[in-house]
Amino acid sequence: MEKHADTPTIESLQQQIIELSAKLKWYEEQFRLAQKKRFGTSSEQTHPDQLELSLFNEAEMLASPVGEEPRAEQITYERRKSSGKRTEDLSKLPVETITYSLEEGEQVCTCCGGSLHEMSTETRNEIAVVPPQVKVIRHVRNVYACRHCEREDIETPIVTAVMPKPVYPGSLASPSSMAYVMSQKYVDSLPLYRQEQHFARLGYTLSRQTMANWMIYGAQKWLMPLVSVMKAYLLRQDVLHADETTLQVLREPGKSAQSSSYLWLYRTGRGVAPAVIYDYQKTRGGEHPQIFLSGFKGYLHVDGYAGYHKVPGVTLVGCWAHARRKYDEALKAAPPATRGNKDSVASQGLAYCNALFAIERELKDASPEERYAERKKRSLPILEAYSVWLKQQRSQTLPKSLVGKAIAYSLNQWEKLTTFLKDGRLEIDNNRSERSIKPFVIGRKNWLFANTPRGAKASAAIYSVIETAKENGLLPFQYLKYLFEQLPQLPDSQNPEALEPYLPWSSSLPITCRFMC
């Protein structure tokens, strides 16, 4: 009997079954991963059993030294002493002491009638909270004239007392109120409409429009020149980190309110005074870091985004946290019965990554020279074995599965992932920039969007100053208040040399700006 041309063959049906099974497996993975992200913990911490790279040293890990029996478990009990932690916590706070004494007429013994003397004292500590207060600071300066000249001469000299220049001429803004509004929004993520309600409860109506005007003026007039000096310092470094995240700007010319703009982050690496700079741009195009980093020649820590390849003259350093995260997601998306299987491909890939991170934890306090030597000695063999393993697994794993994507990521990013071996100052991941961009991401969840590009640029400048201040151990509110007090008094607040003493890492900043931990 002759087959019809459209009749499927057994081979074609089997191929369809294989393809459908692969699709079903992919959808199951995506569903489990989505459930894990929605309801599970966001931590990427690995189970202790997976911390060691058992592919290399399983026997050495499990074996006891020759001739030595496992010790019997010893359990000891020790009473926890009440340490002086509470006293230590209070030591940084101002103290107001209230003393309670008997009146002189009450200092009489009820038994014999003799006079009482002070034997000892009893002390109780309480934490008092002084809520913020809105008050008017009225600046009055006297104007002087000479009575003799008024009587005898044609002209009378007028002398006016010196008065500090205002932070925002023609407004009610003071250095403290402008700093308070900025720190409330950009440190504590408090939107302006909630600050408006907060001020109303304090007895003063301060509209969100007024606060927005204060912040934009303060950022443009005083903070942006400071950020320009910070940027020049940043570009002189040898090692930088970069990252980017979305920002919604409602009234952006040529774009809908629902479209995404981007906030780019650039920051220094370890071993130097920290500088963190945010840069608002309309798109995620690689031309933006190319322009911002013009003149920088060094190492740049990045994630896997290809746009950073447009930056000329830099050496890109890949992020092992991203490589590791893909294996972690593959494990979370695996069927529950197979998640604990140490021999699975995802577990093996995760073990390689964990082994590298374990070495980095041990080298945390090492010098760059020591770190460079130890990486060559300990990390390089792991990387070589991992490379062989990746090439073996590539042909045995479905490319579109989560494990397949994890393997492809490491292979595609291999040159960047191995760059950290070249210099002991480099880091194994780009977590430093992710930590710096996190405050903005948290704030974005509260205030949601910027209204205009002008406001977005102001926000970028304010975040740059605040996050750099925090990284240098400064109190953001006190530091901003100091800037808004001092910068208006400078003859030229645009002069980079004049701004040097006011940078967040300057040793000339007053002690009141510093966080005393």
Side-chain angles (χ1 to χ4, degrees), residues 455-475:
K457 292 177 181 178
S459 294
I462 298 169
Y463 265 120
S464 300
V465 172
I466 285 178
E467 290 306 313
T468 303
K470 288 162 61 177
E471 289 274 344
N472 284 275
L474 303 181
L475 296 165

Side-chain angles (χ1 to χ4, degrees), residues 280-293:
Y280 156 75
Q281 296 294 341
K282 293 182 179 181
T283 68
R284 200 190 182 196
E287 65 274 9
H288 302 308
Q290 178 185 6
I291 295 171
F292 186 93
L293 295 172

